[in-house]
Amino acid sequence: MSELMEQFLALSVSPPLIPSLPDDVTVDIVAARVPINHYPTLSRVSKSFRKLIASPTLYKRRSQLGITQHRVYAVLHSRKTRASSFYILHRKVDDCSNRLVVVRSITLKSSCGNYVPVGSKVYVFNDLDALSIDCTSHTSQSIPEIPQRMAYKVVNVVDEKKIYVIGDSVCHVVKEEGGVLRETWKKAVTVFDTETQLWEPKLVKEDMFVGVLWSDSVVMDGKIYMKDYSKGNSFVYEPDERKWELMDEVLNSKAWEGACVVDNVLYYHDLRALRAYDPKQSCWSVVNGLGDFLVAKTARSRWCHAVNYGEKKLALFFHKNHEGKEVIFCAEIALERRQGGEIWGQMESCDVVIEDGLFDMVKFVSVSL
């Protein structure tokens, strides 16, 4: 536990001090001085602190003070139980190591779904329902479901408030000879406004080839980039102009999957190196400075997934057999663009975050709190 946290907890349990402070002063002290990863410890001090940690007022004050931190959440589907659980990446205060801890207050009905962060919430769209998860209180509530049936969906947020759902939608039902009904599928875009909590009318792309299976999608410069398993069907969607275009050949040349965007640069790990794509320069590069350590750590990994972990930082999750156990690692990597445009990385930590790694579906999202 840090010296600052020990001092604060000592003050917190001292009867004459904290109870006598006005609520707004207590909020300012916690918002400005206590790192968010210490909130679980602080919530165990008293009922009043537990109530404070769960209050939107605290997070609003953090935002007003310009103090935000990224928290990473994971959705893991267990091969053993055949159930999906919602986890948070939590830093232990005793040894500063990271662990994935299940959030028991959140129940997920389906193992399949799309998860997208907007502010302090995670929006979930699956085959059974739609909901939003408030990551300040770890509570969930239902939201309007997608108004039409859609398949092969990708879900992304643009401008921090609008969620774009792109997939194949039934546009026409044709009755053929013998009374057989045939559905005509077209590529469609529908938008959920997180401010109004309403769906906007869908836009149909009549001449778009359907049945595409997307391997990944990201947002850069306000555009949605959708990578297909086959290089011939990767597209870019420009929301403002409602325009489709083929993906740049350079970006499409790599089989990127499990990618994230940090400071408008795309990063992914191909089990050999951490690679970066800068849309302004339209070129790929290898992140320097990680050396053989990351190569050795990720050797024989079954998958890697990069997640935005705040300004100039990402978290890299990877799954492998370690000392006879199936585990998931998390490496925190700080990023720096040096003179000449080269991107360098520095490994800040690399921990086993969960030891029972028998999961057949994993998804990660980063939330700003």
Side-chain angles (χ1 to χ4, degrees):
M1 186 181 297
S2 67
E3 182 179 352
L4 175 62
M5 188 61 178
E6 289 178 348
Q7 293 173 355
F8 185 81
L9 289 177
L11 290 173
S12 300
V13 297
S14 177
L17 183 61
I18 295 297
S20 64
L21 292 177
D23 290 346
D24 57 343
V25 175
T26 304
V27 168
D28 278 358
I29 293 174
V30 175
R33 303 293 292 174
V34 181
I36 200 168
N37 56 290
H38 290 320
Y39 282 9
T41 302
L42 187 59
S43 68
R44 294 195 292 268
V45 172
S46 66
K47 289 183 178 179
S48 59
F49 275 118
R50 190 154 53 248
K51 183 179 179 181
L52 173 62
I53 297 304
S55 170
T57 304
L58 175 61
Y59 300 91
K60 183 178 180 180
R61 185 58 179 148
R62 286 173 57 86
S63 179
Q64 291 171 343
L65 294 172
I67 302 170
T68 58
Q69 289 176 267
H70 281 250
R71 301 302 303 270
V72 174
Y73 289 84
V75 179
L76 307 178
H77 183 251
S78 173
R79 296 181 197 170
K80 292 180 179 178
T81 64
R82 311 309 300 171
S84 294
S85 298
F86 196 63
Y87 291 78
I88 183 173
L89 184 67
H90 176 62
R91 185 182 296 279
K92 297 167 65 177
V93 294
D94 53 354
D95 62 3
C96 291
S97 63
N98 284 317
R99 297 290 291 179
L100 280 173
V101 180
V102 67
V103 181
R104 301 193 182 280
S105 59
I106 301 298
T107 301
L108 301 175
K109 295 181 181 179
S110 173
S111 62
C112 300
N114 300 90
Y115 300 80
V116 58
V118 181
S120 61
K121 294 182 178 180
V122 174
Y123 285 81
V124 184
F125 304 94
N126 57 43
D127 51 357
L128 294 179
D129 60 0
L131 67 148
S132 66
I133 298 173
D134 188 334
C135 295
T136 63
S137 60
H138 287 162
T139 57
S140 64
Q141 65 178 22
S142 298
I143 60 173
E145 296 182 21
I146 300 174
Q148 67 278 322
R149 180 178 157 209
M150 296 182 74
Y152 307 120
K153 297 186 296 292
V154 294
V155 182
N156 292 274
V157 62
V158 178
D159 294 333
E160 295 294 325
K161 64 179 182 179
K162 290 197 173 185
I163 298 173
Y164 285 77
V165 181
I166 302 175
D168 295 342
S169 178
V170 177
C171 297
H172 308 288
V173 178
V174 180
K175 190 172 185 177
E176 298 182 333
E177 293 183 12
V180 178
L181 298 179
R182 180 175 61 85
E183 296 176 337
T184 301
W185 293 72
K186 298 293 182 181
K187 193 62 65 184
V189 180
T190 189
V191 181
F192 182 74
D193 191 319
T194 59
E195 293 183 346
T196 64
Q197 295 287 292
L198 296 173
W199 289 95
E200 297 178 3
K202 71 177 180 180
L203 170 69
V204 177
K205 180 67 173 174
E206 293 288 349
D207 58 347
M208 180 67 68
F209 173 75
V210 299
V212 173
L213 293 175
W214 309 111
S215 60
D216 204 352
S217 64
V218 298
V219 176
M220 292 187 289
D221 277 333
K223 297 180 180 181
I224 302 171
Y225 292 76
M226 292 162 284
K227 185 74 174 76
D228 182 53
Y229 283 105
S230 63
K231 295 180 180 179
N233 291 309
S234 297
F235 292 92
V236 180
Y237 180 69
E238 215 291 339
D240 289 339
E241 300 180 10
R242 296 185 172 185
K243 184 175 68 175
W244 293 84
E245 57 188 31
L246 288 172
M247 185 178 291
D248 171 77
E249 289 185 3
V250 177
L251 177 57
N252 199 28
S253 65
K254 301 289 186 184
W256 50 273
E257 188 174 359
C260 75
V261 174
V262 180
D263 299 325
N264 209 47
V265 174
L266 181 149
Y267 295 90
Y268 88 105
H269 195 281
D270 63 0
L271 303 183
R272 293 183 297 276
L274 182 63
R275 301 187 184 275
Y277 175 83
D278 188 334
K280 293 182 179 180
Q281 300 178 6
S282 187
C283 68
W284 284 99
S285 63
V286 173
V287 177
N288 298 298
L290 298 174
D292 296 332
F293 180 77
L294 185 61
V295 174
K297 279 290 185 182
T298 58
R300 297 181 297 280
S301 296
R302 291 174 172 81
W303 49 259
C304 288
H305 196 119
V307 188
N308 184 315
Y309 206 19
E311 185 179 2
K312 299 180 181 179
K313 182 183 275 192
L314 64 80
L316 183 68
F317 292 87
F318 52 97
H319 171 269
K320 64 185 296 183
N321 186 290
H322 177 67
E323 297 180 352
K325 297 180 180 178
E326 297 291 324
V327 304
I328 296 177
F329 277 88
C330 174
E332 289 186 34
I333 299 174
L335 303 164
E336 177 189 4
R337 188 184 288 275
R338 297 186 180 177
Q339 201 168 20
E342 289 186 342
I343 299 176
W344 286 71
Q346 179 179 350
M347 183 91 68
E348 295 189 339
S349 67
C350 188
D351 304 309
V352 173
V353 292
I354 196 163
E355 292 186 357
D356 182 7
L358 292 173
F359 300 101
D360 54 14
M361 188 203 76
V362 293
K363 295 179 185 292
F364 299 92
V365 291
S366 177
V367 176
S368 180
L369 296 173

